[in-house]
Amino acid sequence: MRSRICLMLALLLLAGLLPNTWNASIAYAGKWQGSVGYLNNDSSPGSGVMANFGYTNAAYFDYYNRSIGIDLQSSRSFNEIRLIDEDSTNRINHSSDLTIYVSNDNVTYTQLTGWSFWKSGQSVVLHNFSANARYVKVHSNFTDAGAAGTWLKQSNLQAMLEVLLVTPHSGAYTGTVGYLNQDMNPTSGSIANWGAAVAAALDYNYRSLGIDLGVIRTFNTIELVESQGPSRIEKTDLSVYVSNDNMSYSRITDWDFLKLDHTLILYNLSGSGRYVKIHNHIDDLDFTFSNTNLQSMVYVTNRPAGEWTAAGGGTWAYKKSVQVTNSTAASVEDRAVYVTKAALDTSGLIAAGKLQQDYRDVRFADTANRELAYYMDSSGFYIRIPALASGSSTITMYYGNPSAEFTGAGQEALQVEYGNKTLVEHTTSLFKDNVKPEKLANGDIMMVANTVGSTTSGIYSKYSTDGGLTWTVPSPIINLNDAGRDEPAALFVDPATGNVFLYFYSYYGYTTTNCLTAGNACRNDLYYAKSTDNGHTFAQPVKIDTGTLVYNGVTYPINYNVTYTNPIKLVNGDWIFPFVYVKAPDGSLATSVLYSTDQGVTWTKSVSQLSVTSSGGEGGLSEPSIVQLNNGNLLMYMRQQVSDKYRLAQSTSTDNGRTWSAPTDAPVFSSNTMSVMTRHTNHDILLLWPGNNSFGGTSYLRNPLTLAYSSDEAATWRGMRDILGRTRLSEAAVNPTKRIATQPSTVKVDSDTYLFGWWGNSLTTAQTIRIEDFNRYLYRSHGVLDDFEYTDLKNDYWWKLGDTVEVSSNQSRSGASSLRLFDNNTSTLTAGSRLFPAMRKGTVKFSVYANQLSNLFSFSLREPYSYVHNAPGTIFQFMLETDGSLKVYNTAGSRVELPVPTDLATGVWYDIELRFDVPAKQIGVWVNGSFKGNAANYWTGDQITHFNIASGSTAGTGTDVYIDNLSIQDTEIALPTAGTIGPEQAI
């Protein structure tokens, strides 16, 4: 990650006020030469005289108050110190573990304060300061001996400490920074507050930051700087716009993202303009990215070809070509090729002094000079290639820049994220229930809602002329002014005429006793109203006669109707309108459809009643969604409120909705919730439903709000994105009465933008989320890479249950922290679940450290969300027993030994690798690189969307386990492979 220094130092650099001996006195621009020494038991570091300068044997640092220091031979200006480890596992995790001192005589030392701490790959980086001295001492505040496995160590002391002077924001244009709050439509929002020298945050209330470059500039890099990091911001939280007049902005759609401690680097841009705007899509007020001076937050640069990100003011000296092969018949996108360190001879390059020993100067690029994101592990590099044609291609490795910062620890190489999500709260006292948006014929979006707290307020509408970015104030449109409560049910725009049909019901009451004959106590009338002016005014509502039902041989009029499903128009011109009605005295429900052959003037009920055995209180089949398949058949999914069901129900019609097949289980896990199906631009079917979990048909736990797609006419579903992930609404489904989302709606704004709406927060709010860059969001996002260096787990798609599932610095495999599961309660199971785009075949890697196993430790791969061990859809599950033995659940539900019996000792890090193949019902297990055999599935399922960890039981306590460096790769498409490495070339 990039170092940061104060603005004064930057001015000194520009003015040439630094020592004239700069280029002559150091081997490379940026890193000072010197002799490293150490002092044991440095109990008074302010006066402890460093010794053993030039010592070349093995040494470790964090040991009984040891200090290490460097003699720079003369006074030097510097702004960064690096402690370099042989590997990435050490216990130096906080600034409080170290103290820095400087001296010009090695007798009297002065403490250096105000610096920042950051662990980057194999280095501990101390930066954000400015100093001048001959001797630099770094003191270990550890008073114990530590342990060999967690020491910061080197085989040669001279390689342990470096002192540098690096240049921040090299080549940045001068400009004036401003901001705009609540920039709901960033294409037209004018940045204000230019030049304000105030503290400011970025991830706050849809805020945009902007910079006025004074004249039109071409640029390819933006740096955003915070005072203290890291923050929660990821690439999908930001979008970039340019303008020449600060009134009309155009969006830049293709760029990459690098997160380095206090700095976010947006690179591979291609922009030109006077004004550059960085828009934040986060709506809440809990900011994490801020700077004490707005004018120090934004830097815009046009880096020349061959100058890669985080250069520190230096340049690259060498390069090597790497042949990459895509063995598939088609091009692949955003997949990572793995290149080993051995193949690149990195040890030889380090020994020759060409490559920095902490790999901070490694960069990769394609033949178009596009810098490629990479992730380094102990043996090599995962390099993400945006697009790779079938056959052989070439990428290039660059190295030889000591001033550079390490860029190989970010998520971007293995966790591919697209799409900008904007969550909007629409709730008012009169506009909050039964929310329903729809796109109109003129391109506007109309949204209706009511309030269930009033029988007299009626239905309100609001409108957006910019695709759901901004909205009008709600106004009343329908009110029957009778004893019923008017509630919106559906919106339908006639494709032929553009007329808008609002379907709604007038609710009088519901009971589970004598519901067929209870009169107004069990009555809900269905109406429609027609608009010919794009939904602004409606004609007199018309009541729909939904026909009769037969119960125990007696015919009754259908007195209680309800629906939240929009009608659809069939290929033959018929309109089909699914609805639900009470079918029995106990209030249990059945589903059917109405069909119209005269454009909604009259309706006829299907002869089929779709029902299952259930009892009242909303039991049965309800809340249908419908789509016409390519073969002309109709498919309907239904909420299935039955105690022993874990999936949506489905039924098909082969005669345009006149008759329907008996309901069966759909291939979709769900609690008792509603789904929505619609056709995408590419003719795939999209499915949205709040309840991809295995809590069963009587559960009201309605999350995650999942979006999937089917390219085979609903035979299978792929994608499985939680559209509320990484928003303030993301949370585990554990509260039986809290419904995160109910009655969702889907609106296609354009071919690459969707708006989703729902009735939220346990039926109290009206909310929408707008997803831009939708196609890449759904089809190209994949993978997981979690290093647990940021404390808010929700920001990385984790849900947790129990008191202590948290980021902790007690242990780490690399970096400063890991994920801790500590079971210290008997009221709930302690568990965590990581959500990710669905995979059928893939590789899971993580490191695990068991401190205690008193209550066992489980890890599993699941299709739907759940936190219990025996939940349906748990496809593969493992258990660490109290004695450390690693066992797997078989298809009978028994825990058995792996083919090669395996024990994990407490107090030791182990590297786990799982290679799963869901269609083959098989998973392979490796521990520390040793194959332990294949195992079969536990439950059946179609794909994996959750990685779950948990203690053994609710009643037990004491389990204390850490995991780190979690990666999950989708391998259903063959990954590219590395081939011939070219010879070194000097640049």
Side-chain angles (χ1 to χ4, degrees):
M1 295 188 182
R2 275 194 86 125
S3 65
R4 293 286 167 250
I5 63 173
C6 66
L7 182 60
M8 182 58 72
L9 180 57
L11 294 173
L12 289 172
L13 286 164
L14 293 172
L17 299 178
L18 293 178
N20 292 327
T21 56
W22 169 266
N23 290 324
S25 301
I26 54 177
Y28 299 98
K31 183 171 72 174
W32 294 109
Q33 292 180 336
S35 179
V36 181
Y38 70 90
L39 177 62
N40 290 332
N41 295 311
D42 190 9
S43 57
S44 301
S47 57
V49 176
M50 295 299 305
N52 305 293
F53 287 110
Y55 184 81
T56 57
N57 290 333
Y60 35 90
F61 171 53
D62 45 319
Y63 177 85
Y64 287 129
N65 289 125
R66 177 171 285 172
S67 294
I68 60 171
I70 186 169
D71 178 2
L72 302 175
Q73 309 305 319
S74 63
S75 293
R76 305 294 189 190
S77 294
F78 58 96
N79 53 30
E80 183 171 297
I81 300 169
R82 288 179 171 267
L83 297 168
I84 302 175
D85 197 357
E86 275 191 334
D87 55 32
S88 56
T89 304
N90 62 70
R91 61 174 176 165
I92 302 174
N93 294 328
H94 308 281
S95 59
S96 58
D97 295 333
L98 307 170
T99 312
I100 305 174
Y101 295 86
V102 294
S103 173
N104 282 320
D105 59 9
N106 194 26
V107 176
T108 302
Y109 279 86
T110 301
Q111 184 175 344
L112 184 66
T113 59
W115 48 273
S116 298
F117 174 95
W118 170 48
K119 291 188 79 169
S120 169
Q122 294 177 207
S123 292
V124 175
V125 183
L126 316 176
H127 62 140
N128 281 345
F129 66 86
S130 177
N132 184 286
R134 172 176 174 173
Y135 298 93
V136 182
K137 174 194 289 190
V138 183
H139 176 67
S140 163
N141 294 330
F142 292 96
T143 59
D144 61 354
T150 59
W151 282 328
L152 190 151
K153 56 188 178 295
Q154 277 286 358
S155 58
N156 181 345
L157 176 66
Q158 300 306 303
M160 186 179 288
L161 180 63
E162 293 181 357
V163 173
L164 303 95
L165 179 61
V166 297
T167 306
H169 323 305
S170 177
Y173 295 123
T174 58
T176 303
V177 182
Y179 67 90
L180 176 63
N181 289 333
Q182 291 191 302
D183 189 9
M184 302 306 298
N185 187 346
T187 62
S188 59
S190 296
I191 296 291
N193 306 291
W194 296 111
V198 297
L202 173 57
D203 51 329
Y204 177 88
N205 195 23
Y206 313 108
R207 177 172 286 170
S208 292
L209 299 183
I211 184 168
D212 177 2
L213 301 176
V215 296
I216 295 174
R217 302 282 194 183
T218 298
F219 62 94
N220 56 26
T221 305
I222 300 171
E223 296 187 16
L224 304 172
V225 181
E226 61 180 324
S227 296
Q228 184 174 3
S231 75
R232 62 178 170 175
I233 295 179
E234 301 293 348
K235 178 184 178 181
T236 54
D237 299 321
L238 304 176
S239 53
V240 180
Y241 296 81
V242 293
S243 173
N244 289 329
D245 59 9
N246 193 30
M247 292 186 290
S248 177
Y249 280 86
S250 300
R251 184 172 180 174
I252 300 176
T253 57
D254 192 21
W255 47 274
D256 291 301
F257 177 87
L258 187 58
K259 193 172 185 177
L260 300 182
D261 194 25
H262 296 182
T263 304
L264 307 178
I265 303 178
L266 286 53
Y267 65 105
N268 288 332
L269 290 147
S270 180
S272 178
R274 172 177 171 175
Y275 300 92
V276 181
K277 175 192 286 190
I278 303 93
H279 177 64
N280 149 64
H281 290 265
I282 297 173
D283 69 310
D284 64 47
L285 309 182
D286 301 324
F287 62 87
T288 64
F289 188 101
S290 63
N291 196 304
T292 56
N293 185 351
L294 173 67
Q295 301 308 306
S296 300
M297 289 187 78
V298 184
Y299 297 87
V300 174
T301 309
N302 195 40
R303 291 183 292 107
E307 180 184 313
W308 312 114
T309 57
T315 58
W316 276 262
Y318 307 100
K319 65 180 181 179
K320 284 186 178 183
S321 64
V322 180
Q323 184 186 58
V324 178
T325 300
N326 169 16
S327 61
T328 69
S331 63
V332 295
E333 296 173 319
D334 295 317
R335 301 292 161 166
V337 61
Y338 188 73
V339 184
T340 66
K341 293 177 179 177
L344 293 165
D345 187 28
T346 57
S347 59
L349 298 178
I350 292 171
K354 296 178 178 179
L355 173 65
Q356 304 312 297
Q357 58 183 328
D358 58 358
Y359 298 91
R360 65 180 181 267
D361 51 338
V362 170
R363 300 292 187 273
F364 294 93
D366 63 15
T367 54
N369 276 329
R370 181 186 181 104
E371 185 172 345
L372 303 175
Y374 77 92
Y375 175 77
M376 185 183 80
D377 67 9
S378 59
S379 300
F381 308 91
Y382 293 93
I383 307 148
R384 170 182 164 189
I385 303 176
L388 189 62
S390 179
S392 295
S393 302
T394 300
I395 63 173
T396 303
M397 172 191 175
Y398 294 84
Y399 54 99
N401 177 12
S403 299
E405 300 290 342
F406 183 65
T407 63
Q411 290 183 321
E412 291 70 35
L414 293 178
Q415 182 169 314
V416 179
E417 291 271 23
Y418 288 108
N420 298 116
K421 298 188 293 189
T422 304
L423 176 66
V424 177
E425 189 76 46
H426 298 272
T427 309
T428 66
S429 61
L430 296 176
F431 192 97
K432 66 186 185 70
D433 302 314
N434 299 291
V435 61
K436 179 71 66 173
E438 186 57 76
K439 186 177 180 180
L440 306 176
N442 67 352
D444 294 351
I445 298 177
M446 175 184 183
M447 184 158 56
V448 294
N450 74 309
T451 173
V452 298
S454 170
T455 60
T456 60
S457 61
I459 297 172
Y460 281 67
S461 65
K462 60 193 308 187
Y463 306 87
S464 173
T465 61
D466 53 15
L469 292 169
T470 61
W471 296 85
T472 62
V473 175
S475 58
I477 54 167
I478 293 290
N479 196 333
L480 294 182
N481 290 307
D482 59 13
R485 183 178 67 222
D486 303 334
E487 301 190 11
L491 280 171
F492 178 69
V493 179
D494 184 352
T497 65
N499 293 337
V500 180
F501 290 80
L502 169 61
Y503 298 88
F504 67 97
Y505 50 85
S506 184
Y507 174 85
Y508 289 80
Y510 173 78
T511 179
T512 56
T513 304
N514 299 319
C515 198
L516 297 182
T517 57
N520 284 356
C522 192
R523 176 184 171 188
N524 206 21
D525 299 337
L526 186 60
Y527 289 82
Y528 78 87
K530 177 180 175 181
S531 170
T532 59
D533 60 0
N534 288 302
H536 289 277
T537 61
F538 284 84
Q540 182 67 27
V542 178
K543 185 176 179 180
I544 300 175
D545 181 0
T546 55
T548 61
L549 64 90
V550 177
Y551 176 76
N552 282 349
V554 179
T555 299
Y556 297 89
I558 296 176
N559 201 41
Y560 190 97
N561 309 268
V562 65
T563 187
Y564 308 108
T565 308
N566 291 344
I568 64 170
K569 184 177 181 178
L570 304 187
V571 173
N572 72 348
D574 290 357
W575 293 9
I576 300 292
F577 188 18
F579 80 110
V580 177
Y581 55 94
V582 169
K583 67 180 178 68
D586 63 359
S588 55
L589 302 174
T591 294
S592 189
V593 303
L594 301 169
Y595 59 89
S596 175
T597 59
D598 54 11
Q599 291 75 54
V601 177
T602 61
W603 294 92
T604 304
K605 179 182 174 294
S606 164
V607 298
S608 299
Q609 174 176 284
L610 301 177
S611 62
V612 293
T613 301
S614 63
S615 57
E618 298 185 332
L621 300 181
S622 62
E623 298 185 354
S625 60
I626 190 169
V627 68
Q628 186 167 29
L629 303 178
N630 285 337
N631 63 6
N633 293 345
L634 303 180
L635 172 67
M636 191 154 55
Y637 280 178
M638 292 158 283
R639 165 181 165 180
Q640 188 168 206
Q641 189 163 330
V642 183
S643 60
D644 62 347
K645 295 294 185 179
Y646 294 90
R647 297 176 183 267
L648 294 170
Q650 66 178 5
S651 176
T652 58
S653 173
T654 59
D655 55 9
N656 295 316
R658 273 59 172 176
T659 62
W660 291 82
S661 64
T664 59
D665 286 351
V668 178
F669 282 96
S670 181
S671 56
N672 66 335
T673 191
M674 178 182 173
S675 63
V676 179
M677 287 189 284
T678 189
R679 286 284 181 185
H680 186 36
T681 304
N682 64 4
H683 212 63
D684 283 357
I685 304 174
L686 303 183
L687 175 68
L688 178 71
W689 81 109
N692 182 25
N693 61 57
S694 59
F695 294 112
T698 57
S699 171
Y700 284 85
L701 296 175
R702 291 178 175 167
N703 62 333
L705 182 53
T706 303
L707 178 68
Y709 68 90
S710 175
S711 301
D712 55 13
E713 294 299 280
T716 59
W717 295 98
R718 300 288 176 259
M720 299 288 185
R721 300 303 312 271
D722 173 21
I723 68 172
L724 299 184
R726 295 193 66 250
T727 72
R728 60 179 170 83
L729 300 182
S730 177
E731 64 176 81
V734 295
N735 185 339
T737 63
K738 188 166 186 178
R739 310 172 197 184
I740 299 300
T742 296
Q743 298 159 17
S745 297
T746 300
V747 177
K748 181 168 64 177
V749 177
D750 57 44
S751 62
D752 204 24
T753 307
Y754 271 77
L755 182 76
F756 303 97
W758 62 92
W759 192 9
N761 194 24
S762 303
L763 313 182
T764 62
T765 58
Q767 294 159 329
T768 61
I769 196 165
R770 188 178 191 267
I771 302 181
E772 301 166 81
D773 195 14
F774 177 82
N775 292 296
R776 293 196 297 182
Y777 167 79
L778 185 59
Y779 291 95
R780 284 179 58 178
S781 299
H782 65 86
V784 170
L785 184 56
D786 292 342
D787 59 8
F788 305 108
E789 297 300 303
Y790 183 66
T791 56
D792 186 359
L793 287 170
K794 183 173 68 175
N795 198 63
D796 282 319
Y797 300 100
W798 276 90
W799 285 350
K800 62 180 184 177
L801 178 70
D803 293 339
T804 310
V805 179
E806 63 185 10
V807 173
S808 169
S809 59
N810 292 350
Q811 302 289 339
S812 65
R813 188 71 167 101
S814 64
S817 54
S818 62
L819 177 64
R820 183 189 190 192
L821 183 147
F822 178 40
D823 187 355
N824 58 354
N825 78 92
T826 58
S827 58
T828 62
L829 188 70
T830 302
S833 193
R834 210 307 187 165
L835 294 75
F836 52 89
M839 301 181 192
R840 289 163 49 85
K841 187 176 181 181
T843 300
V844 181
K845 294 182 180 181
F846 63 96
S847 300
V848 62
Y849 178 101
N851 189 40
Q852 294 183 52
L853 291 169
S854 308
N855 190 25
L856 314 176
F857 176 74
S858 166
F859 54 92
S860 59
L861 298 172
R862 307 176 178 217
E863 179 171 346
Y865 171 69
S866 184
Y867 49 81
V868 296
H869 295 304
N870 61 346
T874 303
I875 302 177
F876 303 108
Q877 181 162 351
F878 299 85
M879 186 72 78
L880 263 177
E881 306 283 352
T882 55
D883 63 358
S885 59
L886 179 59
K887 295 184 178 179
V888 63
Y889 282 73
N890 62 20
T891 53
S894 301
R895 299 202 297 266
V896 297
E897 294 275 5
L898 294 171
V900 178
T902 302
D903 295 326
L904 306 186
T906 56
V908 179
W909 280 103
Y910 291 89
D911 296 327
I912 308 295
E913 181 175 351
L914 310 172
R915 300 179 189 174
F916 65 86
D917 188 332
V918 175
K921 300 181 180 180
Q922 179 175 284
I923 189 167
V925 182
W926 282 256
V927 178
N928 288 345
S930 176
F931 182 53
K932 302 300 181 180
N934 292 316
N937 63 295
Y938 177 19
W939 288 80
T940 59
D942 189 48
Q943 57 212 317
I944 305 292
T945 67
H946 289 261
F947 173 76
N948 179 274
I949 58 174
S951 58
S953 69
T954 298
T957 61
T959 287
D960 189 11
V961 174
Y962 300 81
I963 69 168
D964 205 356
N965 297 333
L966 172 66
S967 69
I968 306 177
Q969 272 190 288
D970 189 335
T971 60
E972 190 167 12
I973 299 173
L975 298 177
T977 56
T980 302
I981 308 297
E984 179 179 272
Q985 299 179 55
I987 301 174

